[in-house]
Amino acid sequence: MEEERITRMPMIGDTAPSFRSITTKGKINFPDDYKGKWVVFFSHPADFTPVCTTEFIAFAKRNDEFKALNTELLGLSIDSLHSHLAWVKNIENIDWKGEGKVSIPFPIVADISMNVAKMYGMLQTVAKTQTIRAVFIIDPESIVRTILYYPMSTGRNIDEIIRIIKALQKHDKDNVSTPVDWTPGDDVLMGSPLTLEEASDRIKGKDDLIPYEWYLTAIKDSSDTDFNSNTDYKESDGEILMEDNTDFKESDGEIWMEDNTGKKIAYIEFPEFEPGKVEVTHTVVDESLRGQGIAGKLTKQMAQKLIKEGKKAELTCSYSVKWFAAHKEFGEALIEPEKEYEKAMNMPDMACGVPKHGKDKA
């Protein structure tokens, strides 16, 4: 009797096993093609199955959120390329929960040989020819950072996958740990002290430290993934740098930021088209400021202003639409929140629709 070859599945801290494959988006060389990006590599039991279909729709609707985290999605099952393509086309006809139809923007690996599934430990005792719902979160250096396994009957939680990526990125950026139920903006944790002196200092507490015990110390997290409310900018040798404690400039229908010469470097407009109703027409950020979160901070500042003044917004700028969909606690600033959240699923990045109401409407 021929012995079955045993391959050790990758573990947290391992380099992601490499493979070449065809996908619904063409050939890939993994993980080399994804260097510099985070990857969510996930398997599903089979094409044309109910739970998998709902997961793919959910992943597709959140694809822009993953991209904003420098993260790519990559699916896999033990099906042929033609089966994948037929299934993807079929999914485009499904309006799951009445939230709108989607297309699948990420590649799906065709693994009819099961080689990749075996390499990643995606085949387990429940079935010999169907992968369980595995999730591998792989960092920009191709290191496996998280492994999740779900049974075939249970759909994944996309919010939790996104939360894990944000927590890992927070750890890498600030060398801190994240406590139970952490979400961005919550307090984070310091590592355990290594000396008696350090332990004594922890108990005393100071500045932004919160000592619960000598080994359990939290740090107030003043950062915001969409920007600190007291952030300002200065210019140095042509580069714009972040500083603290400068206010935004405001008028009735606009909020903006200036550099130290008085030049407007970012703004968001929201003129009234009816009493108490505004239309968010555009957000502009100087190209050198891309990726620093200014657009998000301007949108947040605007939302707070509208809520304070009892006004409601209609959105055309895609960034603002998607910002509100990700920050539903500010939904009272919107005329029809649910319609705006639905729009967020379908609007292309950084594309603004034609305003429905002119600025000069009487």
Side-chain angles (χ1 to χ4, degrees):
M1 180 177 177
E2 185 179 348
E3 291 187 7
E4 183 178 353
R5 181 184 174 189
I6 303 298
T7 302
R8 182 179 79 86
M9 62 174 284
M11 302 178 71
I12 291 175
D14 286 350
T15 298
S18 61
F19 62 87
R20 295 174 183 268
S21 182
I22 56 172
T23 78
T24 51
K25 298 289 185 179
K27 295 180 179 179
I28 64 168
N29 179 13
F30 190 84
D32 290 358
D33 290 347
Y34 291 83
K35 287 284 189 181
K37 293 183 178 294
W38 291 77
V39 180
V40 174
F41 182 31
F42 64 98
S43 58
H44 62 281
D47 297 344
F48 297 100
T49 52
V51 176
C52 301
T53 299
T54 64
E55 289 184 325
F56 270 59
I57 291 171
F59 272 124
K61 288 183 175 180
R62 307 289 290 274
N63 189 59
D64 286 344
E65 290 182 56
F66 284 104
K67 283 191 174 294
L69 295 170
N70 190 34
T71 302
E72 299 293 331
L73 298 172
L74 179 64
L76 173 145
S77 74
I78 300 171
D79 290 287
S80 69
L81 178 64
H82 294 98
S83 175
H84 283 341
L85 292 171
W87 183 43
V88 165
K89 291 296 293 180
N90 180 262
I91 288 175
E92 293 178 355
N93 298 319
I94 297 173
D95 184 0
W96 171 245
K97 296 169 69 174
E99 295 176 349
K101 299 177 182 179
V102 300
S103 58
I104 305 302
F106 50 84
I108 310 169
V109 173
D111 189 31
I112 197 74
S113 68
M114 300 190 288
N115 289 337
V116 180
K118 291 176 181 176
M119 186 186 305
Y120 276 81
M122 295 169 172
L123 290 170
Q124 301 200 4
T125 55
V126 291
K128 296 294 185 183
T129 58
Q130 286 185 315
T131 54
I132 44 85
R133 301 183 195 283
V135 179
F136 290 85
I137 299 177
I138 300 165
D139 72 16
E141 301 300 321
S142 303
I143 302 300
V144 176
R145 300 289 295 275
T146 299
I147 303 172
L148 303 172
Y149 282 107
Y150 294 75
M152 292 182 179
S153 60
T154 304
R156 281 167 271 231
N157 186 313
I158 310 301
D159 285 334
E160 174 62 4
I161 293 172
I162 290 175
R163 190 191 77 92
I164 291 171
I165 295 169
K166 290 180 177 179
L168 291 170
Q169 292 180 350
K170 179 67 176 177
H171 167 77
D172 291 356
K173 178 177 178 289
D174 295 334
N175 192 29
V176 293
S177 299
T178 51
V180 62
D181 296 332
W182 177 88
T183 57
D186 290 349
D187 296 343
V188 292
L189 299 175
M190 298 180 68
S192 297
L194 301 177
T195 66
L196 288 173
E197 181 179 3
E198 188 178 353
S200 297
D201 288 342
R202 294 280 185 90
I203 290 295
K204 296 174 184 176
K206 60 180 180 180
D207 300 329
D208 57 351
L209 301 185
I210 308 169
Y212 294 96
E213 258 298 348
W214 63 267
Y215 60 87
L216 179 59
T217 305
I219 310 173
K220 288 185 178 297
D221 187 10
S222 60
S223 64
D224 187 318
T225 55
D226 291 302
F227 240 50
N228 188 315
S229 60
N230 292 321
T231 301
D232 186 29
Y233 296 81
K234 66 178 181 180
E235 288 189 346
S236 174
D237 296 326
E239 183 181 8
I240 297 178
L241 306 172
M242 288 186 291
E243 276 194 329
D244 292 333
N245 302 320
T246 296
D247 295 331
F248 289 96
K249 307 287 186 179
E250 292 189 10
S251 64
D252 287 343
E254 184 179 10
I255 297 175
W256 69 95
M257 300 175 66
E258 298 176 352
D259 63 18
N260 60 355
T261 69
K263 176 184 176 183
K264 187 183 295 184
I265 57 175
Y267 65 89
I268 185 167
E269 294 180 303
F270 42 99
E272 281 194 325
F273 61 89
E274 290 179 9
K277 295 183 178 181
V278 305
E279 182 174 58
V280 181
T281 56
H282 203 55
T283 300
V284 174
V285 179
D286 186 282
E287 285 297 326
S288 65
L289 302 177
R290 295 289 185 192
Q292 296 191 37
I294 298 175
K297 187 54 199 168
L298 286 168
T299 308
K300 181 177 180 180
Q301 193 82 1
M302 177 200 67
Q304 292 172 330
K305 178 178 173 67
L306 295 181
I307 291 171
K308 182 179 179 180
E309 296 176 356
K311 296 180 180 179
K312 302 281 188 180
E314 182 175 16
L315 309 175
T316 60
C317 173
S318 71
Y319 186 95
S320 297
V321 171
K322 291 175 181 179
W323 185 91
F324 273 99
H327 299 81
K328 294 183 180 180
E329 64 270 27
F330 293 98
E332 64 180 292
L334 301 177
I335 296 172
E336 296 182 282
E338 293 305 320
K339 286 189 177 180
E340 299 294 354
Y341 303 151
E342 182 178 348
K343 280 163 56 176
M345 304 299 180
N346 302 310
M347 289 186 82
D349 285 337
M350 303 311 295
C352 288
V354 176
K356 300 174 185 176
H357 316 280
K359 292 183 185 179
D360 301 325
K361 182 174 179 177

